[in-house]
Amino acid sequence: MTHRNRNRKEMHMISQTLQKARDFEAQYAPYVPQEERPEFHVTGGIGWINDPNGFSVYKGEYHLFHQYYPYKAVWGPMHWGHLKTRDFIRWERLPVALAPDMPYDKDGCFSGSAIEMPDGRQLLMYTGVREERQEDGSMKPFQTQCLAVGDGVDYEKLDANPVLTAADLPKGGSTEDFRDPKMWREGDCYYAVVGNRPADGSGSILLFRSDDAFHWTYQGRVASNHRQYGMMWECPDYFKLDGKDVLMVSPQEMSPMGLEFHAGNGTVCMIGQENEKKHLIRENVHAIDYGIDFYAPQTLMALDGRRIMIAWLQNWDTARSHPVTDRICGQMTLPRELSIRDGRLIQRPVRELDNYHGEKISYKNVPLSTETFLTGIRGRTIDMTVNVRPANGSVMYHAFKMNLAKDGEHVTTIRFKPGQAIVRVDRSRCGYRFDIVHVREFPVYSRHGCIKLRVVMDKHSLELFVNDGEQAASFVMYTPVSADVISFEAEGELLMDVDKYDLVFDKEDEE
Ligand code: FRU
């Protein structure tokens, strides 16, 4: 194969478009002051980011690429930004990996994935987008799947690109919506799932197989939505977890379903068993995240066997502005450890976060009825767990409320009503000045009025984990960081335990 015979110098040929993006990032990223960035959530160097891409292990480290438009804090012709980490918390930024510099991807290097090859190279598979003007003057996108090989820093696109085109689609499959390949190795061969819009205009996930990861053939459909869960399914991921097969997708144009799914762009996980053709027989379907700002999750298998997920901590429907600056827009979620319990996906912050726990402040059996402030319980870069239960076992309280990121003007609230078993997060007064959705309610499992709420805040984000990860809900908070007051309220009488850690990131300097 031609790419095998290339010498090192040729391997690392960098196009003008890529060099321009690298230079731009190198020049302007240093101007983004640390105050404008979260402490431990991934942001782009400069400009806009969306989906995580190529989240994978390479040479003993975890690599993360992302959709990237460095030149402005809005979506534009997509590049791939690049970082790596050893612990999912501290990240090292690497040069921009891919730029839209070939005829088949001139309008964007869309989302995709990465794997480590047995010969030590890293292989990226992404969607190349090329737009062509039609007779009626409109622009029509053509999406194909493309490969690039590299050494963990520099990548060369294959001469054979694109490797999956209209010719590889099942009958009726749209060439305009054919994107986001997620590949993995299984035994002696490779598989990839790719989102596609079938003839009925809805969504389905196609399966491709390869012996060498360079030549791919269509195998069949892993799942189709038949307009049940939105329309086009973006960013699929398909993996084994705790004896189940899990398919995650990010549907466009969802219709709301009770409190489980909201309208617009959502995320869905389907849990079941694959058959011999790798078609998923569903046993349970539920939302992945119940917040406002979560999309396009992607997972990897960590070196110790954990399945870790990261997602874009934002959503197309709500991503209108960045909390602080117009230099950068977008951040990733905290990586989360996944497991399955009672047929549901459980999500917990990666345990590595504990290594950044600073001072702990604990309260036990705090009786709550009026608004209560606890000494030392405040902050915007914190990991806090609150356990709530009725004060008197036989009398149920009516509501528990936690106020976060609060000052005279701002507050974001998390409320739990045991009678309804619903958690409600309201960020209407968080400082966001556009009239979009700011409230989410979701059902939780509460045993006798007991609930455990873990809140991870990193300046402008709030990630909530209910009952050890039974539900997760992610939100961008547009509140100035100076608003760091936390208070608790109850209707009725309850008891509360609080454990709060500051998250501290200068440990290396201290040692
Ligand atoms: C999902 C998505 C993908 C696409 C990418 C483009 O957020 O729409 O389907 O590859 O973003 O940036």
Side-chain angles (χ1 to χ4, degrees):
M1 255 174 292
T2 46
H3 56 269
R4 288 233 171 102
N5 301 330
R6 296 271 157 112
N7 64 33
R8 236 187 120 69
K9 194 161 155 251
E10 266 179 302
M11 269 282 291
H12 294 170
M13 282 268 286
I14 290 170
S15 72
Q16 272 185 3
T17 318
L18 180 58
Q19 193 59 53
K20 183 174 157 216
R22 288 182 168 187
D23 292 346
F24 188 87
E25 184 180 70
Q27 184 177 357
Y28 292 108
Y31 283 101
V32 182
Q34 184 49 40
E35 302 84 71
E36 291 186 10
R37 295 190 189 274
E39 292 293 338
F40 57 102
H41 285 69
V42 168
T43 47
I46 181 86
W48 164 277
I49 70 167
N50 53 285
D51 316 352
N53 297 152
F55 189 39
S56 58
V57 179
Y58 183 64
K59 297 203 165 152
E61 295 180 303
Y62 302 112
H63 282 244
L64 175 70
F65 303 82
H66 58 77
Q67 291 287 278
Y68 193 25
Y69 185 62
Y71 302 109
K72 229 176 165 188
V74 294
W75 191 85
M78 282 289 111
H79 297 57
W80 275 34
H82 190 188
L83 303 98
K84 67 177 183 178
T85 182
R86 285 179 183 277
D87 74 351
F88 302 108
I89 305 290
R90 277 178 188 273
W91 297 84
E92 180 190 336
R93 195 175 306 285
L94 297 170
V96 182
L98 297 178
D101 52 13
M102 299 300 279
Y104 52 78
D105 65 15
K106 66 179 177 58
D107 295 298
C109 298
F110 275 19
S111 285
S113 51
I115 51 174
E116 180 166 6
M117 298 297 290
D119 65 7
R121 291 178 300 169
Q122 194 176 29
L123 181 71
L124 314 182
M125 189 189 249
Y126 67 98
T127 300
V129 182
R130 151 181 73 91
E131 295 196 349
E132 274 178 21
R133 192 166 296 284
Q134 304 301 290
E135 271 177 14
D136 65 0
S138 65
M139 295 300 283
K140 183 171 167 179
F142 290 88
Q143 303 191 339
T144 55
Q145 314 320 315
C146 306
L147 294 170
V149 284
D151 59 2
V153 178
D154 295 309
Y155 299 87
E156 189 200 17
K157 295 176 182 172
L158 257 62
D159 291 342
N161 279 341
V163 296
L164 287 174
T165 66
D168 300 288
L169 285 169
K171 193 161 171 281
S174 158
T175 53
E176 291 175 51
D177 290 293
F178 176 35
R179 60 179 173 272
D180 310 336
K182 173 76 198 285
M183 56 178 169
W184 71 96
R185 186 175 176 175
E186 204 173 301
D188 288 338
C189 67
Y190 299 86
Y191 289 100
V193 280
V194 188
N196 186 227
R197 205 185 273 272
D200 73 356
S202 64
S204 71
I205 302 302
L206 310 181
L207 180 72
F208 295 86
R209 183 186 178 283
S210 172
D211 287 327
D212 60 2
F214 293 103
H215 304 86
W216 294 86
T217 45
Y218 175 63
Q219 296 292 294
R221 288 195 165 85
V222 162
S224 299
N225 74 7
H226 305 298
R227 296 173 179 251
Q228 195 184 2
Y229 301 105
M231 298 297 282
M232 172 66 185
W233 277 351
E234 300 188 307
C235 300
D237 197 350
Y238 196 31
F239 52 89
K240 297 193 183 303
L241 185 64
D242 295 339
K244 299 283 179 192
D245 293 296
V246 180
L247 176 67
M248 300 195 318
V249 294
S250 296
Q252 297 179 316
E253 301 173 72
M254 291 277 281
S255 296
M257 274 187 234
L259 293 180
E260 190 61 34
F261 297 110
H262 56 79
N265 286 96
T267 54
V268 176
C269 97
M270 292 163 244
I271 300 172
Q273 298 287 349
E274 64 177 28
N275 66 13
E276 65 290 348
K277 291 185 166 167
K278 289 197 161 297
H279 182 83
L280 182 70
I281 313 297
R282 294 176 210 169
E283 292 163 4
N284 196 13
V285 179
H286 64 84
I288 301 175
D289 188 283
Y290 293 83
I292 294 173
D293 299 296
F294 183 95
Y295 200 65
Q298 201 175 67
T299 70
L300 61 66
M301 163 92 82
L303 293 161
D304 58 6
R306 286 175 295 164
R307 180 62 59 174
I308 313 278
M309 175 180 78
I310 193 166
W312 180 31
L313 209 168
Q314 197 61 275
N315 185 311
W316 290 114
D317 296 322
T318 60
R320 216 168 136 184
S321 76
H322 182 272
V324 190
T325 167
D326 59 3
R327 285 185 271 231
I328 55 172
C329 188
Q331 58 185 311
M332 297 298 167
T333 62
L334 173 61
R336 302 172 185 179
E337 293 179 17
L338 302 184
S339 56
I340 304 264
R341 201 198 308 143
D342 299 332
R344 285 186 61 92
L345 191 70
I346 304 293
Q347 304 171 48
R348 289 198 183 88
V350 279
R351 63 195 65 169
E352 286 84 346
L353 186 65
D354 300 356
N355 298 334
Y356 297 87
H357 281 169
E359 192 191 359
K360 179 181 185 181
I361 301 201
S362 276
Y363 289 87
K364 292 264 171 294
N365 290 317
V366 181
L368 206 64
S369 45
T370 53
E371 183 167 15
T372 301
F373 301 82
L374 300 172
T375 307
I377 303 290
R378 63 190 307 150
R380 287 288 292 276
T381 307
I382 61 166
D383 182 359
M384 178 173 74
T385 300
V386 180
N387 265 297
V388 171
R389 59 190 168 277
N392 172 342
S394 58
V395 184
M396 190 53 70
Y397 60 94
H398 183 62
F400 165 74
K401 200 163 123 189
M402 178 157 43
N403 300 308
L404 302 165
K406 182 174 150 95
D407 63 10
E409 192 184 335
H410 305 99
V411 66
T412 290
T413 61
I414 300 174
R415 191 191 68 188
F416 170 61
K417 288 194 167 178
Q420 302 170 338
I422 283 175
V423 165
R424 178 182 209 264
V425 181
D426 183 348
R427 64 155 201 207
S428 316
R429 290 176 57 203
C430 80
Y432 197 64
R433 290 173 188 273
F434 296 101
D435 184 20
I436 59 167
V437 167
H438 293 299
V439 178
R440 280 273 194 260
E441 291 192 331
F442 53 94
V444 296
Y445 303 95
S446 165
R447 290 99 184 155
H448 314 294
C450 301
I451 193 161
K452 188 172 179 182
L453 302 169
R454 180 171 177 187
V455 167
V456 178
M457 285 202 278
D458 185 4
K459 293 183 178 167
H460 294 102
S461 64
L462 161 62
E463 287 167 273
L464 170 63
F465 300 87
V466 181
N467 292 335
D468 294 313
E470 283 175 355
Q471 266 92 20
S474 308
F475 302 85
V476 176
M477 280 198 295
Y478 295 80
T479 323
V481 174
S482 56
D484 66 350
V485 172
I486 296 173
S487 69
F488 307 92
E489 294 174 60
E491 287 172 43
E493 290 183 8
L494 55 82
L495 292 177
M496 172 182 81
D497 305 329
V498 183
D499 286 326
K500 189 212 82 169
Y501 297 92
D502 288 323
L503 294 167
V504 180
F505 296 93
D506 53 1
K507 281 198 175 142
E508 253 172 25
D509 309 336
E510 283 169 9
E511 277 160 10

